[in-house]
Amino acid sequence: MQRFIWTILASFVIAMVIGPFIITWLKKLKFGQTIYELGPQSHQKKQGTATMGGVIFAIAAPVAALVFSYKDSRFDFLLIALVCALGFGAVGFVDDFIKVKLKRSLGLTPMQKIIPQIVLSVIVAFWAYFHPEIGPNLTVPFVNVEWNLGWFYIPVMVFVLVGTVNSANLLDGMDGLLGGCSLFDFATMALICLALAAGAEDPSNLLNVAIFAGAMVGALMGFLRFNANPARVFMGDVGSFFIGGALVGICVVTRLSLLLPLIALAMMMSSISDIIQISYFKYTRIKTGTGKRVFRMAPMHYHFELGGMPETQVVAMYYIVTVVMCLVALLGFVA
C-alpha cells in the first residue's frame, strides 16, 4: 500500500513540476486551441488557450508507474495497459499537431483517425485473447460470473476499445470535465485491482496495474491544477485519447470491461447523446426536409450549458454522478 501511495504522490509532483514548463513551451510554439465555431458561444473566449497539455500526465503517469512497479515480478498486464494508453495517445498527438499547425478545428480526417485506432485495438484484442490470464472471458460485475465470449471476444473488445477512447474524447469539452471524471475512474480501478490482488495466488500483475491506475490519479490531480476553470491549458486529443486508452486498457487486463458503463457513464452518455443527435437530425431532414435536434447541442454537457447552467456547475454535476457510479461499482469488489 505504501508503494501505491508513493506512486500517486510521485506522479502528482512530476505533473506539478513539468506542467509550467510544458505550458510555457506550448505557448512559445503558439500551440493554441482553435475553438469549433459552431460550439457554445461562451467558449469562443477560450480561443488560443494552450492545448496538447495532455502530455503532462502522459509523461508523469508512465514514468511514475515504471519507477514504482514491481520489477522482480510479472508486469505484462502493465505493459498492455501502457501500450493502449501510449498507442491511442500517439494518434491524438498527431491529430492535435495537425490542428495547431494548420490553425483549424479539424485535424486528421475521420478515416485517418479511426483506422489506426482499429489496428491498435485488433492487436490488443488478440494479445488479450491469447494471454493465459485474460483470454476470452469477461467478469460480470456483482455476480462474480465469468462470461466466455469465444472468438466473438475479439470484435467485442475492438468495439469497446475504440468506443471508450472516442467517448473520452467527446467528454473533453469543458475545463476540468474529463480530467476530473477520469480521476475518479482510475481511483476506482486502482482500489478494485488492490482488492483482487489480495485474493490472487500471484498478485504481481494486478498490483502493477493498480500502480499504473494510481499513477494516473496523481498525474491527473497535478494536471487539474492547470486545467480547472479557468483553464490555463487544454489536454487536447493527445490527453483524451491517452486517458481513454489507459482506462480501457486497465479494464481489458482485469477482464472488467463490463464495469465501463458504470464508472465511465459520463463518457458513454457523451457518445450516446452525440449518436442520437446526429441520427435524429438526419432522419428528420430526410422525412421533413428540415433537420431537428433532440438536444440543444451534443454532446450532452453542452445541452446543460445552453440550458442556463454555468460551466462549473455542469462539471460539478458530472463529478457527483461519476463518484456515485464509482461507489456503486466498488460495492462488488471492496469488502
Side-chain angles (χ1 to χ4, degrees):
M1 180 60 76
Q2 283 192 357
R3 185 187 291 252
F4 174 70
I5 295 173
W6 278 116
T7 304
I8 297 175
L9 292 174
S11 59
F12 170 73
V13 171
I14 293 172
M16 289 291 289
V17 170
I18 68 174
F21 294 100
I22 290 178
I23 293 172
T24 300
W25 175 66
L26 292 171
K27 289 181 177 179
K28 185 177 180 180
L29 294 175
K30 301 187 186 303
F31 281 9
Q33 178 73 31
T34 300
I35 302 297
Y36 184 47
E37 58 273 10
L38 298 181
Q41 288 301 307
S42 61
H43 289 214
Q44 295 303 314
K45 63 184 179 182
K46 301 180 182 182
Q47 183 84 13
T49 301
T51 189
M52 297 180 69
V55 297
I56 295 172
F57 54 80
I59 293 173
V63 168
L66 291 172
V67 168
F68 287 94
S69 62
Y70 294 84
K71 300 174 184 61
D72 55 345
S73 57
R74 301 189 61 181
F75 55 91
D76 38 327
F77 280 14
L78 173 59
L79 181 60
I80 294 174
L82 284 173
V83 166
C84 284
L86 294 171
F88 285 111
V91 177
F93 181 89
V94 174
D95 189 42
D96 279 337
F97 187 80
I98 293 173
K99 290 177 184 177
V100 297
K101 199 69 176 176
L102 300 181
K103 304 297 182 185
R104 67 187 193 191
S105 59
L106 176 66
L108 295 171
T109 65
M111 287 301 294
Q112 290 172 334
K113 192 184 295 186
I114 199 68
I115 289 176
Q117 292 182 54
I118 292 175
V119 171
L120 179 58
S121 297
V122 169
I123 293 171
V124 171
F126 271 97
W127 191 353
Y129 180 86
F130 288 106
H131 193 287
E133 295 181 32
I134 304 175
N137 296 319
L138 294 179
T139 300
V140 181
F142 306 111
V143 295
N144 198 27
V145 173
E146 295 290 335
W147 184 15
N148 191 320
L149 298 180
W151 280 99
F152 194 57
Y153 172 88
I154 294 173
V156 168
M157 292 315 301
V158 169
F159 174 79
V160 171
L161 284 155
V162 174
T164 302
V165 169
N166 285 279
S167 295
N169 183 244
L170 286 172
L171 185 59
D172 180 33
M174 293 182 175
D175 296 354
L177 179 56
L178 175 58
C181 288
S182 55
L183 186 154
F184 300 126
D185 295 339
F186 285 112
T188 300
M189 291 309 301
L191 293 174
I192 290 174
C193 287
L194 290 173
L196 293 175
E201 292 184 10
D202 182 6
S204 56
N205 252 329
L206 288 168
L207 288 175
N208 279 331
V209 176
I211 290 292
F212 178 50
M216 286 299 300
V217 171
L220 287 169
M221 286 168 55
F223 175 72
L224 283 172
R225 166 66 181 82
F226 312 106
N227 183 241
N229 188 278
R232 291 172 53 191
V233 66
F234 299 142
M235 67 172 66
D237 286 359
V238 60
S240 60
F241 277 39
F242 184 92
I243 286 174
L247 182 61
V248 74
I250 291 172
C251 289
V252 166
V253 298
T254 55
R255 298 191 295 190
L256 292 174
S257 298
L258 293 178
L259 269 184
L260 284 168
L262 279 178
I263 65 173
L265 178 65
M267 296 182 190
M268 188 175 71
M269 291 309 299
S270 293
S271 287
I272 291 175
S273 62
D274 213 42
I275 292 170
I276 291 174
Q277 185 86 324
I278 294 172
S279 300
Y280 187 71
F281 183 84
K282 289 182 177 179
Y283 172 78
T284 53
R285 187 171 61 181
I286 293 172
K287 284 291 185 178
T288 66
T290 303
K292 298 181 180 179
R293 295 173 173 82
V294 177
F295 305 103
R296 300 180 183 91
M297 184 176 289
M300 191 177 288
H301 46 266
Y302 293 139
H303 170 81
F304 294 119
E305 186 179 12
L306 293 180
M309 291 180 67
E311 181 178 338
T312 51
Q313 187 175 342
V314 176
V315 172
M317 177 179 67
Y318 270 65
Y319 283 3
I320 293 169
V321 172
T322 301
V323 169
V324 170
M325 300 308 292
C326 286
L327 289 173
V328 172
L330 283 171
L331 287 174
F333 299 93
V334 180

